[in-house]
């Protein structure tokens, strides 16, 4: 036993192990000190000191002036809320509205820690009273276009390198009492009232589910669906496709947009499918403000279905494929009395492929059908709108087949330059067995001409384009009792001009006029109104001359007729030339072989004067006396010849004024002529009676 060692009860106690407590204290310090520092930072943080930087960044990004109508306010919490009031983003000069966007208030609940990583995570965003003004200036530039004009060649400083910005993520959004104002020059603005729009995501990187209620005029507009996470709009949250699935409802119609966008931050790489169902198209037109439709009333098409695929092709214009527009039975009597549609179908496989159109229905009591195939739409578009790799249109052919009752029209050919509608050559054929049978479709009685056949080639004279000039080449027209042909062209711009070379092979105008529609008799029981006593009947009506047409157009017309019948008399070898220039119409010469002999005439109308001035000259060196008397409505009993000469002038804008002012000379001479006494009595009997002499003296 070791007597030097104290007893166990007297030995000093061993020190306890305190390292867990020390470690815990260290951890608490590591946590509390940053929190304390963060609390001090929040307590001393003044958001208004960053306002100039925020304004400068937005102005640099948009090129617009940002105005804050009050101080920024920060409500302290673990997720602080930043509030701004009376925000305005300006429009460039030249727009009717000084602002593109105004907001009454913006509240953003922000996560703090992501700010250290240059991430702006908005847990909840609330926009109160946004006002978005959409319009175009006089040059057609849109105020929502933030593209900056290119610097002049060889001048201007190089663009500044982009500064490092914040990526943005949004988890929830609310928009209340907003408005979208669409302004069109000269029209009342169209307003879309955005009552409420909400969006909610399961997380900051999850798709945003949208639900909204709005109104256009008095018609409600609804929006439902989802879009990809807002973080992708600033380049964050992965590289997977950004989904789009939105459904809109308006005025009984619905539309759905589905697909994805590969690069949503610059709206590129989209692949979307659009489908729409419209029970009544006119209901949409009635609900839309006039400013959105330009005052155009939409037709009453029913059961309309629309579908198309819209994809990005790295060009200003997207690729549109599998486009289809269909309509069912529709009453279109508002467009044309008696017009109804049975079916309508428009199909466009792609912008680079031909488009087909078919329609069928009724025009009054007559069925109609239309079938057309036209050049690919890409041929009509500017090359800058399409990708450089886009193939040219395979052909520029146009085909149209139309029928109405028993009448048929076909058009076949091509247009060399579709975008300018120039180089056209379209063969046209028209067959109408009975023109009067089309009266129900025309809404009025038509002449009873039968077996009409027209053949010609439609062209644009001189390659000016169909919008500038239209011509009929090698025109031939035949029908019962008439046939004629020739060439014609009508120039529309810059000044209307008609050029016509028409040759009549034969025509029986007596038979053609005999089947013209007759005036309808008055309904039974309707009293015939007697003319007022103060308005005596006029022998010559005050029929106005087409002076406005003469002053606003020019023409060159060549007319020839081998033979024609008029007034039971035959006319042959008729030749005439008419020219209209600067408001002066000149007809010279006009020659022909009348039943009694040859006649030569000339005439003019000067519409440039006020009132208009007219002249007429006629010479007939040797007319057979009998036919000449018959042409004047006198008994055609006579022998020999008569020589006639007329040189007259007049002024006036209508026939009655011309007759009242006519002056000149008329000469009639007959050598060895023999006429019946009844003719002399008709000519001079009234004058003899007025002189108190017996009419039998003649």
């Amino acid at each position: 036993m070791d007597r030097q060692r104290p007893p166990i009860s007297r030995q000093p106690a061993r020190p306890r192990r305190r390292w867990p407590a020390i470690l815990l204290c260290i951890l608490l310090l590591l946590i509390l000190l940053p929190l304390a520092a963060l609390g001090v930072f929040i307590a001393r943080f003044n958001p208004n000191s960053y306002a100039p930087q925020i304004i400068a960044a937005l102005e640099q990004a948009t090129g617009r002036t940002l105005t804050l109508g009050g101080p920024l306010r920060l409500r302290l919490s673990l997720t602080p809320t930043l509030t701004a009031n009376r925000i305005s983003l300006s429009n460039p000069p030249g727009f009717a509205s000084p602002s593109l966007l105004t907001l009454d208030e913006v509240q953003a609940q922000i996560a703090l820690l992501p700010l250290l990583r240059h991430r702006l995570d908005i847990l909840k965003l609330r926009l109160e009273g946004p006002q978005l003004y959409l319009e175009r200036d006089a040059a057609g530039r849109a105020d929502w276009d933030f593209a900056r004009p290119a610097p002049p060649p060889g001048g201007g400083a190089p663009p500044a390198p982009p500064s490092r910005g914040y990526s943005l993520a949004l988890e929830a959004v609310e928009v209340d009492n907003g408005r979208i104002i669409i302004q069109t020059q000269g029209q009342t603005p169209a307003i879309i009232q955005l009552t409420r729009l909400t969006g909610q995501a399961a997380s900051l990187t999850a798709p945003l589910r949208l639900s909204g209620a709005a109104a256009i005029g008095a018609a409600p507009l609804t929006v439902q669906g989802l879009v990809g996470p807002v973080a992708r709009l600033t380049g964050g949250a992965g590289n997977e496709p950004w989904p789009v699935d939105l459904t809109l409802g308006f005025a009984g119609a619905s539309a759905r947009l589905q697909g994805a966008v590969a690069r949503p931050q610059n709206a590129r790489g989209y692949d979307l499918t659009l489908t729409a169902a419209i029970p009544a198209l006119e209901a949409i037109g009635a609900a839309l403000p006039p400013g959105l439709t330009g005052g155009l009333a939409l037709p009453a098409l029913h059961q309309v279905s629309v579908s198309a695929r819209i994809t990005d092709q790295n060009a200003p214009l997207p690729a549109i494929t599998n486009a289809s527009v269909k309509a069912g039975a529709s009453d279109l009597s508002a467009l044309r009395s008696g017009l109804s549609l049975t079916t309508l179908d428009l199909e466009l496989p792609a912008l680079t492929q031909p488009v087909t159109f078919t329609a069928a229905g009724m025009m009054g009591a007559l069925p109609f059908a239309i079938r057309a195939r036209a050049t690919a739409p890409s041929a009509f578009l500017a090359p800058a709108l399409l990708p450089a790799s886009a193939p040219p249109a395979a052909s520029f052919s146009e085909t149209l087949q139309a029928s109405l009752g028993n009448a048929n029209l076909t058009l076949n050919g091509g247009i060399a330059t579709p975008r300018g509608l120039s180089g056209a050559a379209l063969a046209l054929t028209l067959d109408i067995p009975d023109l009067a049978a089309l009266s129900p479709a025309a809404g009025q009685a038509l002449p009873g001409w039968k077996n009409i056949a027209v053949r010609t080639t439609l062209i644009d004279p001189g390659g000016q384009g169909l919008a500038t000039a239209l011509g009929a080449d090698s025109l031939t027209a035949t029908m019962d009792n008439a046939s004629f042909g020739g060439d014609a062209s009508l120039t529309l711009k810059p000044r209307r001009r008609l050029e016509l070379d028409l040759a009549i092979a034969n025509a029986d105008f007596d038979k053609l006029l005999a089947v013209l529609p007759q005036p309808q008799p008055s309904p039974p029981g309707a009293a015939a109104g007697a003319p007022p006593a103060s308005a005596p009947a006029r022998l010559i009506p005050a029929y106005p001359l087409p002076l406005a047409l003469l002053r606003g157009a020019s023409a060159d017309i060549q007319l020839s007729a081998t033979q024609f019948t008029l007034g039971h008399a035959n006319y042959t070898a008729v030749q005439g030339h008419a020219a209209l220039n600067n408001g002066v119409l000149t007809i010279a010469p006009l020659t022909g072989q009348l039943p009694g002999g040859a006649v030569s005439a000339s005439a003019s109308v000067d519409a440039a004067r006020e009132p208009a001035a007219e002249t007429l000259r006629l010479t007939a060196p040797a007319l057979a006396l009998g036919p000449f008397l018959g042409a004047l409505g006198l008994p055609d009993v006579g022998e020999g010849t008569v020589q006639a000469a007329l040189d007259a002038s007049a002024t006036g804008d209508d026939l009655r004024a011309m007759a009242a002012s006519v002056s000149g000379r008329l000469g009639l001479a007959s050598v060895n002529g023999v006429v019946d006494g009844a003719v002399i009595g008709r000519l001079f009997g009234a004058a003899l009676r007025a002189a108190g002499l017996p009419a039998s003296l003649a």
Side-chain angles (χ1 to χ4, degrees):
M1 182 175 180
D2 188 356
R3 298 182 180 273
Q4 301 299 324
R5 186 176 181 180
I8 294 177
S9 59
R10 296 180 181 179
Q11 291 181 4
R14 294 181 179 179
R16 296 179 180 178
R17 296 182 177 180
R18 298 179 179 177
W19 61 269
I22 295 173
L23 180 60
L24 179 61
C25 291
I26 293 174
L27 290 175
L28 288 175
L29 287 174
L30 290 176
I31 294 174
L32 292 177
L33 282 178
L35 289 177
L38 184 59
V40 173
F41 170 77
I42 293 175
R44 300 182 62 183
F45 176 74
N46 180 13
N48 291 285
S49 62
Y50 290 89
Q53 300 179 34
I54 297 173
I55 293 174
L58 285 174
E59 290 183 348
Q60 181 181 4
T62 64
R64 313 291 177 88
T65 301
L66 179 69
T67 303
L68 301 178
L72 300 176
R73 301 191 307 275
L74 182 67
R75 187 176 63 190
L76 300 179
S77 68
L78 292 178
T79 54
T81 300
L82 186 65
T83 303
N85 298 96
R86 303 190 303 279
I87 300 175
S88 174
L89 186 65
S90 72
N91 259 336
F95 290 93
S97 174
S99 299
L100 169 66
L101 175 67
T102 64
L103 290 144
D104 293 340
E105 185 177 87
V106 177
Q107 292 183 0
Q109 190 177 4
I110 303 170
L112 288 176
L113 292 179
L115 292 174
L116 302 177
R117 302 190 302 272
H118 274 258
R119 282 178 49 87
L120 181 59
D121 289 354
I122 302 177
L123 304 179
K124 185 176 182 180
L125 177 66
R126 183 175 180 273
L127 307 178
E128 179 67 32
Q131 307 271 345
L132 180 62
Y133 298 86
L134 304 179
E135 61 174 305
R136 292 183 181 273
D137 62 10
R141 188 166 60 101
D143 65 349
W144 60 88
D145 183 4
F146 292 98
R148 298 176 181 270
S163 59
R164 183 186 178 190
Y166 281 78
S167 60
L168 176 67
L170 179 64
E171 188 170 336
V173 62
E174 291 182 6
V175 180
D176 292 317
N177 301 320
R179 293 200 310 168
I180 301 175
I181 300 96
I182 303 174
Q183 301 187 130
T184 305
Q185 292 184 357
Q187 297 183 4
T188 303
I191 298 176
I192 301 176
Q193 188 72 41
L194 189 59
T195 307
R196 184 171 176 80
L197 174 66
T198 62
Q200 185 69 48
S203 67
L204 291 167
T205 58
L208 192 68
R209 294 193 172 275
L210 300 176
S211 177
I216 302 178
L221 171 67
T222 60
V223 180
Q224 301 285 339
L226 64 82
V227 294
V230 175
R232 285 293 311 281
L233 298 178
T234 54
N239 296 318
E240 66 278 0
W242 197 70
V244 175
D245 190 352
L246 295 174
T247 300
L248 288 83
F250 178 70
S254 62
R256 188 173 185 181
L257 189 66
Q258 294 176 285
V261 184
R263 300 184 300 279
Q265 62 270 27
N266 56 7
R268 284 299 184 186
Y270 49 85
D271 188 348
L272 305 170
T273 299
L274 172 68
T275 57
I278 307 172
L281 187 61
E282 73 275 19
I284 293 180
L288 290 174
L292 287 180
T293 61
L296 177 66
L298 298 181
L301 292 176
H302 290 177
Q303 305 304 320
V304 179
S305 62
V306 180
S307 62
R309 185 180 179 187
I310 306 169
T311 56
D312 184 17
Q313 58 176 355
N314 295 319
L317 191 69
I320 301 175
T321 57
N322 300 326
S324 173
V325 178
K326 300 178 184 292
S330 306
D331 182 2
L332 302 179
S333 56
L335 297 178
R336 174 85 178 185
S337 179
L339 176 62
S340 64
L341 187 70
T342 304
T343 60
L344 180 146
D345 187 2
L346 185 147
E347 301 292 335
L348 175 63
L351 288 176
T352 56
Q353 296 184 30
V355 57
T356 60
F357 174 81
T358 59
M362 298 293 293
M363 178 72 77
L366 300 177
F368 75 86
I370 301 174
R371 183 174 183 85
R373 186 177 186 272
T375 296
S378 59
F380 297 88
L381 300 174
L385 297 176
L386 302 171
S389 59
S395 64
F396 299 145
S397 61
E398 320 295 333
T399 302
L400 171 66
Q401 296 176 340
S403 64
L404 176 62
N406 58 3
N408 293 280
L409 169 72
T410 63
L411 192 68
N412 292 288
I415 301 177
T417 309
R419 193 154 56 93
L421 295 177
S422 60
L426 304 168
L428 180 145
T429 64
L430 175 64
D431 294 291
I432 306 176
D434 185 358
L435 185 61
L438 304 182
S439 298
Q444 62 183 10
L446 296 177
W449 299 337
K450 298 183 183 299
N451 299 318
I452 300 174
V454 178
R455 305 288 185 268
T456 188
T457 300
L458 298 181
I459 62 172
D460 58 314
Q464 303 176 69
L466 294 175
T468 301
L470 177 65
D473 191 21
S474 302
L475 170 68
T476 62
T478 61
M479 67 179 78
D480 290 354
N481 304 310
S483 65
F484 57 90
D487 300 297
S489 68
L490 176 63
T491 301
L492 303 174
K493 295 185 269 187
R495 181 181 174 89
R496 285 175 296 177
R497 178 173 177 80
L498 172 66
E499 295 186 15
L500 176 65
D501 188 349
L502 186 66
I504 300 174
N506 63 82
D508 190 334
F509 288 108
D510 290 337
K511 293 182 178 179
L512 294 175
L513 295 175
V515 293
L516 289 179
Q518 299 300 316
Q520 296 297 320
S522 301
S534 59
R538 298 284 188 175
L539 179 62
I540 300 177
Y543 185 82
L545 300 179
L547 300 179
L549 178 62
L550 297 180
R551 293 166 181 155
S554 63
D556 191 301
I557 300 173
Q558 295 279 354
L559 177 66
S560 64
T562 303
Q563 66 169 1
F564 63 87
T565 302
L566 178 62
H568 304 289
N570 293 323
Y571 298 82
T572 60
V574 175
Q575 298 282 338
H577 176 252
L580 174 62
N581 291 293
N582 300 320
V584 179
L585 173 64
T586 303
I587 301 175
L590 177 60
T591 62
Q593 191 69 31
L594 275 63
V599 173
S600 175
S602 65
S604 69
V605 178
D606 189 351
R609 297 177 56 179
E610 186 59 46
E614 300 82 22
T615 63
L616 174 63
R617 291 181 176 85
L618 182 146
T619 59
L623 293 176
L625 188 54
F628 174 75
L629 295 174
L632 296 178
L634 299 172
D636 57 355
V637 180
E639 297 178 3
T641 61
V642 63
Q643 181 180 3
L646 173 66
D647 189 349
S649 61
T651 58
D653 295 343
D654 58 62
L655 292 182
R656 185 179 299 167
M658 291 169 56
S661 63
V662 68
S663 62
R665 63 183 182 87
L666 170 64
L668 296 173
S670 178
V671 179
N672 298 324
V674 178
V675 296
D676 188 86
V679 175
I680 302 299
R682 291 277 299 276
L683 289 175
F684 304 106
L688 293 173
R689 285 193 296 269
L693 298 174
S696 59
L697 182 62

